[in-house]
Amino acid sequence: MKKLKKVVSLLVVMVMALSLIPQTVLGAEYTAALESYFQGWGRWDNGVAPNGTTRYACVTDEVAHSGNNSLVIKHQQPDAGGMMVVQEGLSLTGTYTLSFWSIGLNSGKQIVVMQGQDGLWQGAALVGNATAAETDGDWTKYTLELTVPEGHTQTGMVFCSDGETEGWYIDDISIVPQGTENNVIKNGSFDFDKTAEYTTELAPYFMGWGNWSAAALDNVNTFYCVTDEIAHSGNNSVVIKHTDSSQNWSAVTIAQDVIYGPGDYTLSFWAAGIYANNLCGMTRNGSEWDDYYITDFAVAETDGDWTKYSVDFTISGENNAITLMSNGDTQCLFLDDISLVKNGTTENLIKNSGFEEKPLEATYTTAFENYFYGWERESAIAENGSTIFTCVTDETAHSGNNSFVLKSLDTGDKDLMIKQ
């Protein structure tokens, strides 16, 4: 209760009625059926538990500006403090633009407030202070430009109803730092419900990548793995989870050794999920590391739940690594279609960039022995059909249907050969 009273006291002088919001009568009803779409957000109930009838916040599919869902806040319990929905883990400095789409009945007590570092409320604004940028049917887009005082950081965004709210619907929330196109709000449309689940079933598709994690991996709160839960292209992506606050700044990291010389390069990747803005792409420049935080990346384009990030950089020496990581506050970071391209070329220097490739598993067969015509075996070791063998296979082929495979384990210095 003290927290809200403090916030509201800061906002009293700024109170303005939300007369611009269309008064569409919507029958707000509580539901827990879409709770999985609330990920990335939290509730502050001000010490009074929501009751699901007169005071609550939930995801609903009753109405939406885009996609299928929106957020609805209802507060008709005069003796209870504000009902708040918050997204934390932001790191905002300088000037940024906050915007969202809204619809519903109001009383002038609907508030948007920015939480400052160390729990201080350094910047606060009522929805009524925002500019009604445009309308789309009954929906109105509100936009507000805010500047964080020098030396401070804002870490959270709060939507709050301080009462007399029959149903306040919010969708397509965005915070974009000035000079970028990077929306730092995650799941601002309440349409993302994927979660990070550890699995080893697709481990072979991690081929070409390595683990350089400084964080201790427990396969529950800190891990990475290949998943087929969601993909930008193909069937797979890699997911990183890091929600162990005791290991913040000890990163969960995937890496690939890539030898590339002096020149100008573009590193890009597609990302989806609920992840902090401390995600880095790093290149090793000799014995030094070049860090690129996600705020340094340009947003090239979006595709559904996926956002393409890219950064241009120049190196003067020879580099030999690309890493992608999360230092914490990441519920699920899905990565796909990772690319490193030298300017003026088209070759992607990243191997297995979409996590669709896995090592071939050579299996002995005599089914295609007729296709061995014109060749003969000349080995110094006996074949056993399991660890030492040669055969024609249809497992993979550069052209046509077949190729030839040689498997040679534990042969010492004895040769396994075919000749023509």
Side-chain angles (χ1 to χ4, degrees):
M1 181 68 73
K2 291 182 179 180
K3 179 187 285 186
L4 182 62
K5 286 182 176 178
K6 185 176 181 180
V7 174
V8 172
S9 66
L10 290 172
L11 299 174
V12 167
V13 296
M14 304 174 68
V15 174
M16 298 179 67
L18 304 181
S19 58
L20 294 175
I21 295 182
Q23 302 301 297
T24 300
V25 179
L26 296 168
E29 294 184 3
Y30 175 76
T31 178
L34 302 173
E35 187 66 16
S36 61
Y37 293 96
F38 192 67
Q39 67 169 319
W41 297 88
R43 296 177 180 88
W44 289 349
D45 57 26
N46 203 39
V48 180
N51 57 25
T53 55
T54 59
R55 187 171 179 275
Y56 61 81
C58 69
V59 177
T60 178
D61 59 2
E62 180 187 3
V63 65
H65 174 255
S66 69
N68 298 313
N69 304 328
S70 63
L71 172 73
V72 62
I73 300 176
K74 186 172 184 176
H75 189 350
Q76 292 183 309
Q77 194 175 345
D79 59 341
M83 186 68 225
M84 295 178 281
V85 171
V86 58
Q87 182 162 131
E88 298 183 278
L90 306 178
S91 182
L92 297 169
T93 58
T95 300
Y96 60 90
T97 300
L98 181 159
S99 68
F100 59 93
W101 290 82
S102 180
I103 189 175
L105 300 173
N106 72 85
S107 62
K109 293 189 177 182
Q110 291 74 30
I111 301 166
V112 177
V113 59
M114 300 304 299
Q115 178 191 22
Q117 63 189 118
D118 302 323
L120 299 176
W121 301 87
Q122 298 166 358
L126 295 185
V127 180
N129 285 348
T131 300
E134 56 184 294
T135 59
D136 183 7
D138 288 325
W139 289 87
T140 297
K141 182 179 181 180
Y142 290 89
T143 302
L144 185 68
E145 187 173 283
L146 296 174
T147 299
V148 182
E150 187 175 352
H152 295 286
T153 301
Q154 288 176 348
T155 58
M157 177 187 191
V158 181
F159 287 92
C160 172
S161 170
D162 194 30
E164 300 179 32
T165 301
E166 194 168 322
W168 181 24
Y169 297 79
I170 303 162
D171 202 359
D172 295 338
I173 304 163
S174 173
I175 291 180
V176 179
Q178 191 175 64
T180 78
E181 300 177 6
N182 185 2
N183 180 11
V184 300
I185 291 292
K186 301 301 182 286
N187 194 25
S189 61
F190 304 96
D191 284 313
F192 189 85
D193 69 339
K194 305 300 182 184
T195 57
E197 300 289 342
Y198 181 74
T199 178
T200 58
E201 291 183 4
L202 301 173
Y205 292 96
F206 197 64
M207 182 181 72
W209 293 87
N211 166 34
W212 287 10
S213 298
L217 306 182
D218 60 12
N219 301 339
V220 178
N221 299 308
T222 52
F223 65 80
Y224 69 88
C225 66
V226 177
T227 178
D228 59 2
E229 183 179 7
I230 185 176
H232 175 253
S233 67
N235 298 313
N236 303 330
S237 63
V238 71
V239 63
I240 293 175
K241 182 176 182 179
H242 189 342
T243 56
D244 183 354
S245 59
S246 69
Q247 295 195 82
N248 278 355
W249 300 106
S250 293
V252 177
T253 307
I254 65 168
Q256 185 168 134
D257 291 327
V258 185
I259 304 298
Y260 56 107
D264 300 321
Y265 293 84
T266 299
L267 172 66
S268 67
F269 54 86
W270 288 84
I274 310 299
Y275 48 92
N277 296 310
N278 58 26
L279 168 67
C280 300
M282 304 173 69
T283 65
R284 184 159 55 190
N285 192 347
S287 60
E288 300 178 355
W289 292 93
D290 298 322
D291 299 1
Y292 297 97
Y293 289 81
I294 200 167
T295 49
D296 298 321
F297 284 72
V299 176
E301 56 186 298
T302 58
D303 183 7
D305 293 323
W306 293 87
T307 299
K308 184 179 182 180
Y309 295 96
S310 64
V311 64
D312 298 324
F313 61 95
T314 300
I315 61 169
S316 56
E318 183 176 272
N319 279 25
N320 62 345
I322 289 290
T323 70
L324 294 169
M325 64 179 62
S326 172
N327 291 325
D329 296 324
T330 296
Q331 294 182 35
C332 54
L333 166 62
F334 297 91
L335 297 167
D336 203 359
D337 295 337
I338 303 164
S339 172
L340 176 66
V341 177
K342 186 174 184 178
N343 287 9
T345 72
T346 58
E347 179 188 4
N348 184 5
L349 300 177
I350 299 293
K351 307 304 180 186
N352 193 21
S353 62
F355 306 96
E356 304 292 335
E357 301 175 31
K358 66 176 182 177
L360 296 173
E361 299 177 5
T363 302
Y364 178 73
T365 178
T366 59
F368 304 100
E369 190 65 18
N370 289 342
Y371 293 98
F372 194 62
Y373 179 80
W375 294 85
E376 59 182 291
R377 295 173 175 87
E378 189 175 273
S379 300
I381 187 170
E383 298 187 19
N384 58 23
S386 58
T387 59
I388 305 169
F389 63 80
T390 60
C391 67
V392 178
T393 179
D394 64 351
E395 181 183 8
T396 184
H398 175 254
S399 65
N401 298 315
N402 302 330
S403 62
F404 193 80
V405 60
L406 296 90
K407 184 172 183 178
S408 180
L409 302 177
D410 301 324
T411 59
D413 59 356
K414 296 182 179 180
D415 296 325
L416 186 67
M417 299 185 296
I418 63 171
K419 71 175 183 178
Q420 186 172 108

